[in-house]
Amino acid sequence: MMKQEFTVTVYTENQIGLLNRIAIMFSRRKINIESLNTSPSEIEGIHRFTIVINELEDVVKKLVRQIEKQVEVLKAYYNTNDEIVWQELALYKVPTSVIAEKVKVERLLREYGARAVVIRTDYVVFETTGQRDEINKLISVLEPYGLIEFVRSARVAIIKASKGFHDKLKEFEKKEPGEDVIENEYLGKGGEVFTM
């Protein structure tokens, strides 16, 4: 068995210290986090962690089960890259003089779907979204033209399956508090049950 890239998704209440506790679970197992993104989810009050790791599937299964044991965690699961739609955002800063003088650079940026977000006399900042390979290719293309600075965001991902945890969470929301609680058959019968 070989290590592969997995995206771990965790739906959770937004509680202080939870990110630290989850990160400790990875470090105890000596698993490096390649990418980490936290954001609100489609459901108010519920946050979503998107964590990218390279690991064996058996290790990931155990890790996800351990994460789910946290009180604030509603659901945790993992997916391969084939099971999700994902993107990253990148910003590239290049000298303005290069863009003005070298028409090739402008053509390359169009080819990679980049757009200018800041244009100054000394530099231009371009933005692009895509998968890591696409983003890295543009870095290698821009380096010879004097790439000043580069930054890439963490992964954002959505599961390809049309339904999932969202529907289950909506069901929980619809239920009245205590709707599924079954009364204890001995409630109010203390005298009968505890007589000697």
Side-chain angles (χ1 to χ4, degrees), residues 3-73:
K3 289 185 178 183
Q4 63 174 323
E5 192 169 77
F6 289 99
T7 300
V8 177
T9 305
V10 182
Y11 281 94
T12 172
E13 296 173 12
N14 189 17
Q15 297 291 323
I16 295 171
L18 181 60
L19 177 59
N20 186 46
R21 289 199 312 271
I22 289 174
I24 287 170
M25 290 182 200
F26 287 85
S27 63
R28 280 187 189 147
R29 290 166 177 77
K30 298 186 179 3
I31 299 172
N32 187 43
I33 295 174
E34 301 290 329
S35 170
L36 170 66
N37 178 41
T38 62
S39 70
S41 74
E42 64 276 14
I43 298 162
E44 189 176 337
I46 305 299
H47 275 62
R48 178 183 180 136
F49 292 39
T50 304
I51 306 164
V52 180
I53 57 173
N54 278 299
E55 194 48 76
L56 298 172
E57 187 169 8
D58 288 345
V59 174
V60 177
K61 278 182 190 176
K62 290 175 187 171
L63 176 66
V64 166
R65 281 197 303 264
Q66 192 68 36
I67 290 170
E68 279 194 328
K69 289 180 182 177
Q70 295 295 310
V71 173
E72 300 90 351
V73 172

Coordinates of all heavy atoms in Angstrom, one line a residue, residues 3-73:
K3 N 1.1 5.6 0.1 CA 0.5 6.9 0.6 C -0.1 7.6 -0.6 O 0.4 7.5 -1.7 CB 1.5 7.8 1.3 CG 2.0 7.3 2.6 CD 2.9 8.3 3.3 CE 3.3 7.8 4.6 NZ 4.1 8.8 5.4
Q4 N -1.2 8.2 -0.4 CA -1.9 9.0 -1.4 C -2.5 10.3 -0.8 O -2.6 10.4 0.4 CB -2.9 8.2 -2.2 CG -4.1 7.8 -1.4 CD -5.1 7.1 -2.3 OE1 -5.4 7.5 -3.4 NE2 -5.7 6.1 -1.8
E5 N -2.9 11.2 -1.6 CA -3.5 12.5 -1.1 C -4.9 12.2 -0.7 O -5.7 11.7 -1.5 CB -3.3 13.6 -2.2 CG -3.6 14.9 -1.6 CD -3.2 16.0 -2.6 OE1 -4.0 16.2 -3.6 OE2 -2.2 16.6 -2.4
F6 N -5.3 12.7 0.5 CA -6.7 12.6 0.9 C -7.1 14.0 1.4 O -6.3 14.7 1.9 CB -6.8 11.6 2.1 CG -6.7 10.2 1.7 CD1 -5.5 9.5 1.9 CD2 -7.8 9.5 1.2 CE1 -5.4 8.2 1.5 CE2 -7.7 8.2 0.8 CZ -6.5 7.5 1.0
T7 N -8.4 14.3 1.2 CA -9.0 15.5 1.8 C -9.9 15.1 2.9 O -10.9 14.4 2.7 CB -9.7 16.3 0.7 OG1 -8.8 16.6 -0.4 CG2 -10.4 17.6 1.3
V8 N -9.6 15.5 4.1 CA -10.4 15.3 5.3 C -11.3 16.5 5.5 O -10.8 17.6 5.6 CB -9.5 15.0 6.5 CG1 -10.3 14.8 7.8 CG2 -8.5 13.9 6.3
T9 N -12.6 16.2 5.6 CA -13.5 17.3 5.9 C -14.2 17.0 7.2 O -14.6 15.9 7.5 CB -14.6 17.3 4.8 OG1 -14.0 17.4 3.5 CG2 -15.6 18.4 4.9
V10 N -14.2 18.1 8.0 CA -14.8 18.0 9.4 C -15.8 19.1 9.5 O -15.5 20.3 9.4 CB -13.6 18.2 10.4 CG1 -14.2 18.1 11.8 CG2 -12.5 17.3 10.2
Y11 N -17.0 18.7 9.9 CA -18.1 19.7 10.2 C -18.1 19.8 11.7 O -18.2 18.8 12.4 CB -19.5 19.2 9.7 CG -19.7 19.4 8.2 CD1 -19.4 18.4 7.3 CD2 -20.2 20.6 7.8 CE1 -19.6 18.6 5.9 CE2 -20.4 20.8 6.4 CZ -20.1 19.8 5.5 OH -20.3 20.1 4.2
T12 N -18.1 21.0 12.2 CA -18.0 21.2 13.6 C -18.7 22.5 14.1 O -19.0 23.4 13.4 CB -16.5 21.3 14.0 OG1 -16.4 21.7 15.4 CG2 -15.8 22.3 13.1
E13 N -19.0 22.5 15.4 CA -19.4 23.7 16.1 C -18.1 24.6 16.1 O -17.0 24.1 16.2 CB -19.9 23.5 17.5 CG -21.1 22.6 17.5 CD -21.5 22.2 18.9 OE1 -21.0 22.8 19.9 OE2 -22.4 21.3 19.1
N14 N -18.3 25.9 16.1 CA -17.2 26.8 16.1 C -16.7 27.1 17.5 O -17.3 28.0 18.2 CB -17.5 28.1 15.4 CG -16.3 29.0 15.2 OD1 -15.2 28.6 15.2 ND2 -16.6 30.3 14.9
Q15 N -15.8 26.2 18.0 CA -15.4 26.3 19.4 C -13.9 26.7 19.5 O -13.1 26.2 18.8 CB -15.7 25.0 20.2 CG -17.1 24.6 20.2 CD -17.9 25.5 21.2 OE1 -17.4 26.0 22.2 NE2 -19.1 25.8 20.8
I16 N -13.6 27.5 20.5 CA -12.2 27.9 20.8 C -11.4 26.6 21.2 O -11.9 25.8 22.0 CB -12.1 29.0 21.9 CG1 -12.8 30.2 21.4 CG2 -10.7 29.2 22.3 CD1 -12.9 31.3 22.4
G17 N -10.2 26.5 20.6 CA -9.3 25.4 20.9 C -9.5 24.1 20.1 O -8.7 23.2 20.2
L18 N -10.6 24.0 19.4 CA -10.9 22.8 18.6 C -9.8 22.5 17.5 O -9.3 21.4 17.4 CB -12.3 22.8 18.0 CG -12.7 21.5 17.2 CD1 -12.6 20.3 18.1 CD2 -14.0 21.7 16.6
L19 N -9.5 23.6 16.8 CA -8.4 23.5 15.8 C -7.1 23.0 16.4 O -6.5 22.1 15.8 CB -8.2 24.8 15.1 CG -7.1 24.9 14.1 CD1 -7.4 23.9 12.9 CD2 -7.0 26.3 13.5
N20 N -6.8 23.4 17.5 CA -5.5 23.0 18.2 C -5.6 21.5 18.5 O -4.7 20.7 18.3 CB -5.3 23.8 19.5 CG -4.0 23.5 20.1 OD1 -3.0 23.4 19.4 ND2 -4.0 23.3 21.4
R21 N -6.8 21.1 19.1 CA -6.9 19.7 19.4 C -6.9 18.8 18.2 O -6.3 17.7 18.2 CB -8.2 19.4 20.2 CG -8.2 20.0 21.6 CD -9.3 19.5 22.5 NE -10.6 19.4 22.0 CZ -11.5 20.4 22.0 NH1 -11.2 21.5 22.6 NH2 -12.7 20.2 21.5
I22 N -7.5 19.2 17.1 CA -7.4 18.4 15.9 C -6.0 18.4 15.3 O -5.5 17.3 14.9 CB -8.4 19.0 14.8 CG1 -9.9 18.7 15.3 CG2 -8.2 18.4 13.5 CD1 -10.9 19.3 14.5
A23 N -5.3 19.5 15.3 CA -3.9 19.5 14.8 C -3.0 18.6 15.7 O -2.1 18.0 15.1 CB -3.4 21.0 14.9
I24 N -3.3 18.5 16.9 CA -2.5 17.6 17.8 C -2.6 16.2 17.4 O -1.7 15.4 17.4 CB -2.8 17.9 19.3 CG1 -2.2 19.2 19.8 CG2 -2.3 16.7 20.2 CD1 -2.7 19.6 21.1
M25 N -3.8 15.8 17.0 CA -4.1 14.4 16.5 C -3.2 14.1 15.3 O -2.7 13.0 15.2 CB -5.6 14.2 16.1 CG -6.5 14.3 17.3 SD -8.2 14.0 16.7 CE -9.1 14.6 18.1
F26 N -3.0 15.1 14.4 CA -2.1 14.8 13.3 C -0.7 14.8 13.7 O 0.1 13.9 13.3 CB -2.3 16.0 12.2 CG -3.6 15.9 11.5 CD1 -4.8 16.4 12.0 CD2 -3.7 15.3 10.3 CE1 -6.0 16.4 11.3 CE2 -4.9 15.2 9.6 CZ -6.0 15.7 10.1
S27 N -0.2 15.7 14.6 CA 1.2 15.7 15.0 C 1.5 14.5 15.8 O 2.7 14.0 15.6 CB 1.5 17.0 15.7 OG 0.8 17.1 16.9
R28 N 0.6 14.0 16.6 CA 0.9 12.7 17.4 C 1.2 11.6 16.5 O 2.0 10.7 16.8 CB -0.2 12.4 18.3 CG -0.3 13.2 19.6 CD -1.4 12.7 20.5 NE -1.6 13.6 21.6 CZ -2.7 13.8 22.2 NH1 -3.8 13.2 21.7 NH2 -2.8 14.6 23.2
R29 N 0.5 11.5 15.3 CA 0.7 10.4 14.4 C 1.8 10.8 13.3 O 2.0 10.0 12.4 CB -0.6 10.2 13.7 CG -1.6 9.6 14.6 CD -3.0 9.6 14.0 NE -4.0 8.9 14.8 CZ -4.6 9.5 15.9 NH1 -4.2 10.7 16.3 NH2 -5.5 8.8 16.6
K30 N 2.5 11.9 13.5 CA 3.5 12.4 12.6 C 3.0 12.5 11.2 O 3.7 12.1 10.2 CB 4.7 11.5 12.7 CG 5.4 11.5 14.1 CD 6.6 10.7 14.1 CE 7.3 10.7 15.4 NZ 6.8 11.2 16.6
I31 N 1.8 13.1 11.0 CA 1.2 13.3 9.7 C 1.3 14.8 9.4 O 0.8 15.6 10.2 CB -0.3 12.9 9.7 CG1 -0.4 11.4 10.0 CG2 -0.9 13.3 8.4 CD1 -1.9 10.9 10.2
N32 N 2.0 15.1 8.3 CA 2.1 16.5 7.9 C 0.8 17.0 7.2 O 0.3 16.3 6.3 CB 3.3 16.6 7.0 CG 3.6 18.1 6.7 OD1 3.6 18.9 7.6 ND2 3.9 18.4 5.4
I33 N 0.4 18.1 7.6 CA -0.8 18.8 7.0 C -0.3 19.6 5.8 O 0.5 20.5 6.0 CB -1.6 19.6 8.0 CG1 -2.2 18.8 9.1 CG2 -2.7 20.4 7.3 CD1 -2.9 19.5 10.2
E34 N -0.7 19.2 4.6 CA -0.3 19.9 3.4 C -1.1 21.2 3.2 O -0.5 22.2 2.7 CB -0.6 19.0 2.2 CG 0.2 17.7 2.2 CD 1.6 17.8 2.0 OE1 2.1 18.7 1.3 OE2 2.4 17.0 2.6
S35 N -2.3 21.2 3.6 CA -3.2 22.4 3.4 C -4.3 22.3 4.5 O -4.8 21.2 4.8 CB -3.8 22.3 2.0 OG -4.8 23.3 1.9
L36 N -4.7 23.5 5.0 CA -5.7 23.5 6.0 C -6.6 24.8 5.8 O -6.0 25.9 5.7 CB -5.1 23.6 7.4 CG -6.1 23.9 8.6 CD1 -7.1 22.8 8.8 CD2 -5.3 24.1 9.9
N37 N -7.9 24.6 5.7 CA -8.8 25.7 5.5 C -9.9 25.5 6.4 O -10.5 24.5 6.6 CB -9.3 25.7 4.0 CG -10.3 26.8 3.7 OD1 -10.1 27.9 4.2 ND2 -11.3 26.5 3.0
T38 N -10.3 26.6 7.1 CA -11.5 26.6 7.9 C -12.4 27.7 7.4 O -12.0 28.8 7.0 CB -11.2 26.9 9.4 OG1 -10.7 28.1 9.6 CG2 -10.3 25.8 9.9
S39 N -13.7 27.4 7.4 CA -14.7 28.4 6.9 C -16.1 28.1 7.4 O -16.3 26.9 7.8 CB -14.7 28.4 5.4 OG -15.3 27.3 4.9
P40 N -17.0 29.0 7.4 CA -18.4 28.7 7.7 C -18.9 27.7 6.7 O -18.4 27.7 5.5 CB -19.1 30.0 7.6 CG -18.0 31.1 7.7 CD -16.8 30.5 7.2
S41 N -19.8 26.9 7.0 CA -20.4 26.0 6.1 C -21.7 26.6 5.5 O -22.1 27.7 5.9 CB -20.7 24.6 6.7 OG -21.8 24.7 7.6
E42 N -22.5 25.8 4.8 CA -23.7 26.2 4.3 C -24.8 26.3 5.3 O -25.9 26.8 5.1 CB -24.2 25.3 3.1 CG -24.5 23.8 3.5 CD -23.3 22.9 3.6 OE1 -22.1 23.4 3.6 OE2 -23.4 21.7 3.7
I43 N -24.5 25.8 6.5 CA -25.5 25.8 7.6 C -25.0 26.8 8.7 O -23.8 26.6 9.2 CB -25.7 24.4 8.2 CG1 -26.2 23.5 7.1 CG2 -26.6 24.4 9.4 CD1 -26.1 22.1 7.3
E44 N -25.8 27.7 9.1 CA -25.5 28.7 10.1 C -25.0 28.1 11.4 O -25.6 27.1 11.9 CB -26.7 29.6 10.4 CG -26.3 30.8 11.2 CD -27.4 31.8 11.4 OE1 -28.4 31.8 10.6 OE2 -27.4 32.5 12.4
G45 N -23.9 28.6 11.9 CA -23.4 28.1 13.2 C -22.5 26.8 13.1 O -21.9 26.4 14.0
I46 N -22.4 26.3 11.9 CA -21.5 25.1 11.6 C -20.3 25.5 10.8 O -20.5 26.1 9.7 CB -22.3 24.0 11.0 CG1 -23.6 23.6 11.7 CG2 -21.5 22.7 10.7 CD1 -23.4 23.1 13.1
H47 N -19.2 25.1 11.2 CA -17.9 25.4 10.4 C -17.4 24.1 9.8 O -17.7 23.0 10.2 CB -16.9 26.0 11.3 CG -17.0 27.5 11.5 ND1 -18.1 28.1 12.0 CD2 -16.2 28.5 11.1 CE1 -18.0 29.4 12.0 NE2 -16.9 29.7 11.5
R48 N -16.6 24.4 8.8 CA -16.1 23.2 8.0 C -14.5 23.4 7.9 O -14.0 24.4 7.6 CB -16.7 23.3 6.6 CG -16.2 22.3 5.7 CD -16.8 22.6 4.3 NE -16.4 21.6 3.4 CZ -17.2 21.0 2.5 NH1 -18.5 21.3 2.5 NH2 -16.7 20.1 1.7
F49 N -13.9 22.3 8.3 CA -12.4 22.2 8.1 C -12.1 21.4 6.9 O -12.7 20.3 6.8 CB -11.8 21.5 9.3 CG -11.8 22.3 10.6 CD1 -12.9 23.0 11.0 CD2 -10.8 22.2 11.5 CE1 -13.0 23.6 12.2 CE2 -10.8 22.9 12.7 CZ -11.9 23.6 13.1
T50 N -11.2 21.8 6.1 CA -10.8 21.1 4.9 C -9.3 20.9 5.1 O -8.5 21.8 5.0 CB -11.1 21.8 3.6 OG1 -12.5 22.1 3.6 CG2 -10.8 20.9 2.4
I51 N -8.9 19.6 5.3 CA -7.5 19.3 5.6 C -6.9 18.4 4.5 O -7.5 17.3 4.3 CB -7.4 18.7 7.0 CG1 -8.1 19.6 8.0 CG2 -5.9 18.4 7.4 CD1 -8.4 18.9 9.4
V52 N -5.8 18.7 4.0 CA -5.2 17.8 2.9 C -3.9 17.2 3.5 O -3.1 17.8 4.1 CB -4.8 18.7 1.7 CG1 -4.2 17.8 0.6 CG2 -6.0 19.4 1.1
I53 N -3.9 15.9 3.4 CA -2.7 15.1 3.9 C -2.3 14.0 2.8 O -3.1 13.6 2.0 CB -3.0 14.4 5.2 CG1 -4.3 13.5 5.1 CG2 -3.2 15.4 6.3 CD1 -4.5 12.7 6.4
N54 N -1.1 13.5 2.9 CA -0.6 12.4 2.2 C -0.4 11.3 3.2 O 0.5 11.4 4.1 CB 0.7 12.7 1.4 CG 0.4 13.4 0.2 OD1 -0.2 12.9 -0.7 ND2 0.9 14.7 0.1
E55 N -1.2 10.2 3.1 CA -1.1 9.1 4.1 C -1.7 7.8 3.5 O -2.3 7.8 2.5 CB -1.8 9.6 5.3 CG -1.5 8.8 6.6 CD -0.1 8.5 6.8 OE1 0.7 9.4 7.3 OE2 0.4 7.4 6.5
L56 N -1.5 6.7 4.2 CA -2.1 5.5 3.9 C -3.6 5.5 4.3 O -4.0 6.2 5.3 CB -1.5 4.3 4.7 CG 0.0 4.1 4.4 CD1 0.6 3.1 5.4 CD2 0.2 3.6 3.0
E57 N -4.5 4.9 3.5 CA -5.9 5.0 3.8 C -6.3 4.4 5.2 O -7.1 5.0 5.9 CB -6.7 4.3 2.7 CG -8.2 4.5 2.9 CD -9.0 4.0 1.7 OE1 -8.4 3.4 0.8 OE2 -10.2 4.3 1.7
D58 N -5.6 3.3 5.6 CA -5.9 2.8 6.9 C -5.7 3.8 8.0 O -6.4 3.9 9.0 CB -5.1 1.5 7.2 CG -5.6 0.3 6.4 OD1 -6.7 0.4 5.8 OD2 -4.9 -0.7 6.3
V59 N -4.6 4.5 7.9 CA -4.2 5.5 8.9 C -5.3 6.6 8.9 O -5.7 7.1 10.0 CB -2.8 6.1 8.6 CG1 -2.5 7.2 9.6 CG2 -1.8 5.0 8.8
V60 N -5.7 7.1 7.7 CA -6.7 8.1 7.6 C -8.0 7.7 8.2 O -8.7 8.5 8.9 CB -6.9 8.5 6.1 CG1 -7.9 9.6 5.9 CG2 -5.5 9.1 5.5
K61 N -8.4 6.5 8.0 CA -9.7 6.0 8.5 C -9.7 6.1 10.1 O -10.6 6.6 10.7 CB -9.9 4.5 8.2 CG -10.5 4.2 6.8 CD -10.7 2.7 6.6 CE -11.0 2.4 5.2 NZ -11.1 1.0 4.9
K62 N -8.6 5.6 10.7 CA -8.5 5.7 12.1 C -8.4 7.1 12.6 O -9.1 7.5 13.6 CB -7.2 5.0 12.6 CG -7.2 3.5 12.4 CD -5.9 2.8 12.8 CE -6.0 1.3 12.4 NZ -4.6 0.7 12.5
L63 N -7.7 8.0 11.9 CA -7.7 9.4 12.3 C -9.0 10.0 12.2 O -9.4 10.8 13.2 CB -6.7 10.1 11.3 CG -6.6 11.6 11.5 CD1 -5.9 11.9 12.9 CD2 -5.7 12.2 10.4
V64 N -9.8 9.8 11.2 CA -11.1 10.4 11.1 C -12.0 9.9 12.2 O -12.8 10.7 12.8 CB -11.7 10.1 9.7 CG1 -13.2 10.4 9.6 CG2 -11.0 10.9 8.6
R65 N -12.0 8.6 12.6 CA -12.8 8.1 13.7 C -12.4 8.8 15.0 O -13.2 9.1 15.8 CB -12.6 6.6 13.8 CG -13.4 5.8 12.8 CD -13.5 4.3 13.2 NE -12.3 3.7 13.4 CZ -11.7 2.9 12.4 NH1 -12.2 2.8 11.3 NH2 -10.5 2.3 12.7
Q66 N -11.1 9.1 15.2 CA -10.6 9.7 16.4 C -11.1 11.2 16.4 O -11.5 11.7 17.4 CB -9.1 9.7 16.4 CG -8.5 10.1 17.7 CD -8.8 9.1 18.8 OE1 -8.8 7.9 18.6 NE2 -9.1 9.6 20.0
I67 N -11.1 11.9 15.3 CA -11.6 13.2 15.2 C -13.0 13.3 15.5 O -13.5 14.2 16.3 CB -11.3 13.8 13.8 CG1 -9.8 14.1 13.5 CG2 -12.1 15.2 13.6 CD1 -9.4 14.4 12.1
E68 N -13.8 12.4 15.1 CA -15.3 12.3 15.3 C -15.6 12.2 16.8 O -16.7 12.5 17.3 CB -16.0 11.2 14.5 CG -16.3 11.7 13.1 CD -17.2 10.7 12.4 OE1 -17.2 9.5 12.7 OE2 -18.0 11.3 11.6
K69 N -14.6 11.7 17.6 CA -14.9 11.5 19.0 C -14.9 12.8 19.8 O -15.3 12.9 20.9 CB -13.8 10.6 19.6 CG -14.1 9.1 19.2 CD -13.0 8.2 19.8 CE -13.2 6.8 19.3 NZ -12.2 5.9 19.8
Q70 N -14.4 13.9 19.2 CA -14.4 15.2 19.8 C -15.8 15.7 20.0 O -16.6 15.5 19.0 CB -13.6 16.2 19.0 CG -12.1 15.9 18.8 CD -11.4 16.0 20.2 OE1 -11.6 17.0 20.9 NE2 -10.7 15.0 20.5
V71 N -16.2 16.2 21.1 CA -17.6 16.6 21.4 C -18.1 17.6 20.4 O -19.3 17.4 20.0 CB -17.6 17.2 22.8 CG1 -19.0 17.8 23.1 CG2 -17.2 16.2 23.9
E72 N -17.3 18.5 20.0 CA -17.8 19.6 19.1 C -17.9 19.1 17.6 O -18.5 19.9 16.8 CB -17.0 20.8 19.1 CG -16.9 21.5 20.5 CD -15.7 20.9 21.3 OE1 -15.1 19.9 20.9 OE2 -15.4 21.4 22.4
V73 N -17.4 18.0 17.3 CA -17.4 17.5 15.9 C -18.7 16.8 15.6 O -19.1 15.9 16.3 CB -16.2 16.6 15.6 CG1 -16.3 15.9 14.3 CG2 -14.9 17.4 15.8

